[in-house]
Amino acid sequence: MIADVSGFTRMNESFARMGESGAEKVTRHLNQYFTKLLNIIDRHGGDCVKFAGDALIVIFKEDNPYEKMTYLNKDNKEKVFENAEITMLRTIQAAMELSKQPPYIVGNVTLTLHTAVGFSDVYALHLGGNDNQWE
């Protein structure tokens, strides 16, 4: 899932006019806003793997210890959700809860959130290592 904050550039420009104190305010407001979003993501079993500017890149692993869920299919037969289906449902639930959050208002700037959900296998590599810098 990608969660992108709209209004960040406008907020930055607004606070840039204040000098150093403006940069501190940007940091404080982003920390408050991102903390709220990260708590929601965590409740649904997600993990923010990257802050990409004003966006969060989040993955949801299948190996979370959630109970098996069942549902009735179109033939009224009980079916057990597969791990991948449960993972996708948790991802969608997180995106829906994020989208219901009220805008974050800072002075005359409003921060809103847009989410996108995708589903696929994820392959991760640790790259880098120069001067203890990793990506």
Side-chain angles (χ1 to χ4, degrees):
M1 175 174 67
I2 296 175
D4 182 53
V5 178
S6 291
F8 176 75
T9 301
R10 187 165 177 226
M11 182 180 73
N12 246 354
E13 291 168 351
S14 174
F15 284 127
R17 294 183 210 113
M18 297 177 169
E20 275 189 46
S21 67
E24 291 172 8
K25 288 182 181 184
V26 167
T27 300
R28 183 168 32 97
H29 286 293
L30 272 184
N31 284 343
Q32 287 176 352
Y33 190 53
F34 279 166
T35 296
K36 183 178 180 182
L37 302 178
L38 291 168
N39 286 337
I40 293 169
I41 291 165
D42 185 58
R43 269 200 311 274
H44 293 281
D47 185 21
C48 180
V49 294
K50 182 79 175 167
F51 290 93
D54 60 352
L56 306 172
I57 299 175
V58 180
I59 61 170
F60 291 78
K61 296 178 185 175
E62 280 188 35
D63 59 358
N64 281 317
Y66 290 91
E67 277 187 39
K68 292 288 184 189
M69 297 186 293
T70 61
Y71 68 97
L72 294 178
N73 66 14
K74 65 181 179 182
D75 299 323
N76 284 330
K77 294 183 181 174
E78 192 173 272
K79 180 184 182 317
V80 175
F81 279 105
E82 300 295 325
N83 284 342
E85 293 169 317
I86 294 170
T87 301
M88 192 62 195
L89 288 171
R90 288 188 294 111
T91 306
I92 292 168
Q93 287 173 330
M96 290 175 63
E97 187 174 343
L98 289 169
S99 70
K100 291 179 183 177
Q101 297 307 300
Y104 186 89
I105 300 170
V106 182
N108 63 344
V109 177
T110 301
L111 300 181
T112 56
L113 190 71
H114 304 275
T115 58
V117 173
F119 186 79
S120 180
D121 291 330
V122 174
Y123 300 93
L125 299 170
H126 289 283
L127 303 175
N130 291 337
D131 295 325
N132 218 13
Q133 305 251 335
W134 297 89
E135 273 301 306

